[in-house]
Amino acid sequence: MKANCRKWKGLFSLLSLSVALSATPMNLLAENKKTEEVQTKKVDQKAEAEEVALSAGAAVLLNMDITMADEEIVELVKSNTTEAISVKTLTKKEDSTLVMAKVNEYVNIREEADQDSKKLGVLYKDCGGHIVESEGDWTKIQSGDVTGWVKNEYLYFGEEAQELAKEVGILTAYSQTETLRVRKEPGLDAGVLGLLSEGEAVEAIAEQDEWVEVSYEGTTGYVSAEYVKVEFDLDVAESMEEILAREAAEKEAKRNAQKEAVLATASELDILAALIQCEAGSELYDGQIAVGAVVMNRVRSGGYPNTITDVIYASGQFTPASTGRLNSLILSGNIKESCRQAAQAVVSGTCNVGDALHFRRVGTKEGIIIGNHVFW
């Protein structure tokens, strides 16, 4: 024990000397200059403060295991004597980097802090992001996969952004196990409402210790907190690539939207099939469907007659009908099977030209191009 005490005394003396030499390099000079009483007094006060800090570290060490290595003890003393300095830094409240869109519809995100700069994406109403940097009247944000500049006047910052985020954000629980039971009550013995596969998400209502209350298929359920990851989700910006892809998909969906079926007699089906053959008999099946769909769009439209026969034989509309070629084909009965199938399909509601009411050979007219025809 005496050997240990000698070890401690030597170590503390060494530490005291090290701290004194590093923190007050003028101390020795001050002691040799008896006439500089004011300076000596200041140095002595500083040294006394350091001894108090060192003693605080020593007090911690007296309660520690005596078998610790010397270097570990030194590090512990350092950490305890500097704690008071670091507390202020650790408890300093950082400014929020959250921003929310301050718009009724959307604001553009630019490549540079310039109104004429390239458009990278769109930040919609109730969407959020985080500040990357600021420059004058502009702020660079990151939202989803989009990083770019937005004018400050179109953004909420600080508390306003946080309050809005709380209103529009959604707590989401993500399943982190292969099969997660959604129970009727928060307990292992409760009945099961359904199952969630790994990665599947449901809206979280509240976290309750070992259980998370969720919204499941219109009713309230509970999942074990151990097997879910709960995150606060905000809607984010949409990039131009995503916008163009979405618009293309919407356009395609609209073009191919199923229409209301129309009752047609066998005679009307023959007339329609014959017209399809006259106009697009050499086209692929999609081209034949497109021609038939234009006829059916007219039948459904209030701007044309409401029967297949009247639409096809309307004056100046379809050349084969006015030249007699259509009638000849009907009388011969040599209508291609694909044209008959196309006629039946469009009467049943199949459509690949959206609301197009016209078509012609591909040329200067803009529209949906299918085969050798453009539809609009």
Side-chain angles (χ1 to χ4, degrees):
M1 184 65 184
K2 290 182 179 181
N4 284 334
C5 289
R6 287 196 296 274
K7 178 179 178 181
W8 283 110
K9 290 177 65 178
L11 177 60
F12 290 154
S13 298
L14 178 61
L15 287 173
S16 299
L17 179 60
S18 175
V19 172
L21 288 175
S22 61
T24 57
M26 297 299 295
N27 193 34
L28 294 177
L29 293 175
E31 290 179 353
N32 293 329
K33 295 181 180 181
K34 303 293 184 178
T35 58
E36 297 178 11
E37 295 179 358
V38 175
Q39 183 176 0
T40 302
K41 184 177 180 180
K42 292 180 179 180
V43 173
D44 288 344
Q45 289 174 342
K46 189 171 184 180
E48 183 180 354
E50 289 166 350
E51 288 178 7
V52 171
L54 184 60
S55 297
V60 174
L61 288 173
L62 290 176
N63 294 321
M64 300 301 294
D65 191 342
I66 200 67
T67 61
M68 290 177 65
D70 291 350
E71 55 270 24
E72 294 177 39
I73 298 172
V74 172
E75 288 302 316
L76 184 59
V77 172
K78 287 181 179 179
S79 65
N80 278 275
T81 55
T82 59
E83 183 178 5
I85 299 173
S86 62
V87 165
K88 184 177 180 181
T89 303
L90 292 173
T91 58
K92 181 181 178 182
K93 184 178 179 180
E94 298 292 336
D95 292 335
S96 172
T97 63
L98 177 69
V99 291
M100 297 291 293
K102 188 179 180 181
V103 293
N104 291 326
E105 294 183 13
Y106 67 87
V107 60
N108 294 324
I109 301 176
R110 303 284 181 178
E111 187 174 36
E112 303 292 342
D114 189 302
Q115 193 67 37
D116 298 323
S117 181
K118 180 182 177 182
K119 182 177 173 180
L120 300 180
V122 166
L123 187 69
Y124 297 100
K125 175 180 171 64
D126 294 339
C127 289
H130 291 277
I131 298 172
V132 176
E133 60 177 296
S134 298
E135 181 180 299
D137 296 332
W138 293 77
T139 296
K140 190 174 188 178
I141 70 167
Q142 179 179 357
S143 180
D145 295 329
V146 186
T147 301
W149 295 87
V150 178
K151 291 202 75 173
N152 293 344
E153 63 185 286
Y154 301 117
L155 294 172
Y156 286 114
F157 298 89
E159 291 185 5
E160 285 186 303
Q162 293 178 41
E163 289 301 317
L164 179 58
K166 290 177 184 177
E167 291 179 16
V168 301
I170 298 175
L171 271 179
T172 305
Y174 296 88
S175 172
Q176 293 189 303
T177 187
E178 187 174 347
T179 303
L180 178 63
R181 292 177 176 83
V182 182
R183 298 190 179 274
K184 296 179 180 179
E185 300 292 339
L188 295 177
D189 296 331
V192 177
L193 289 173
L195 303 174
L196 297 178
S197 58
E198 188 168 5
E200 191 173 353
V202 290
E203 182 180 350
I205 300 172
E207 295 182 73
Q208 304 176 359
D209 296 328
E210 298 179 355
W211 295 88
V212 177
E213 184 179 353
V214 300
S215 176
Y216 181 79
E217 295 184 355
T219 189
T220 299
Y222 298 85
V223 294
S224 173
E226 181 181 356
Y227 300 110
V228 295
K229 177 176 65 174
V230 179
E231 293 185 350
F232 183 76
D233 290 338
L234 279 173
D235 288 336
V236 294
E238 190 176 24
S239 68
M240 290 310 300
E241 291 79 6
E242 291 171 327
I243 291 172
L244 293 175
R246 173 177 55 76
E247 289 178 345
E250 290 174 352
K251 187 175 181 180
E252 184 70 11
K254 184 177 180 181
R255 184 172 75 85
N256 292 288
Q258 183 75 12
K259 299 293 183 72
E260 182 183 356
V262 175
L263 293 176
T265 65
S267 175
E268 286 180 314
L269 284 173
D270 283 345
I271 294 172
L272 180 56
L275 178 70
I276 291 172
Q277 182 167 323
C278 289
E279 297 284 9
S282 297
E283 296 285 335
L284 295 176
Y285 186 65
D286 278 351
Q288 295 172 2
I289 287 285
V291 168
V294 166
V295 174
M296 297 313 299
N297 282 345
R298 291 190 179 190
V299 171
R300 297 185 184 96
S301 169
Y304 293 86
N306 60 2
T307 68
I308 294 172
T309 302
D310 289 343
V311 164
I312 291 175
Y313 283 103
S315 177
Q317 297 303 307
F318 296 100
T319 302
S322 60
T323 61
R325 184 181 168 209
L326 180 64
N327 289 338
S328 297
L329 182 57
I330 295 171
L331 291 173
S332 70
N334 295 323
I335 302 173
K336 293 182 178 180
E337 185 58 31
S338 63
C339 294
R340 290 186 182 279
Q341 290 178 0
Q344 182 62 64
V346 296
V347 165
S348 298
T350 299
C351 180
N352 60 357
V353 293
D355 295 325
L357 298 170
H358 309 275
F359 69 90
R360 66 170 58 164
R361 297 284 297 180
V362 172
T364 58
K365 191 70 179 177
E366 293 185 358
I368 302 169
I369 297 176
I370 300 177
N372 293 311
H373 290 109
V374 58
F375 299 82
W376 74 97

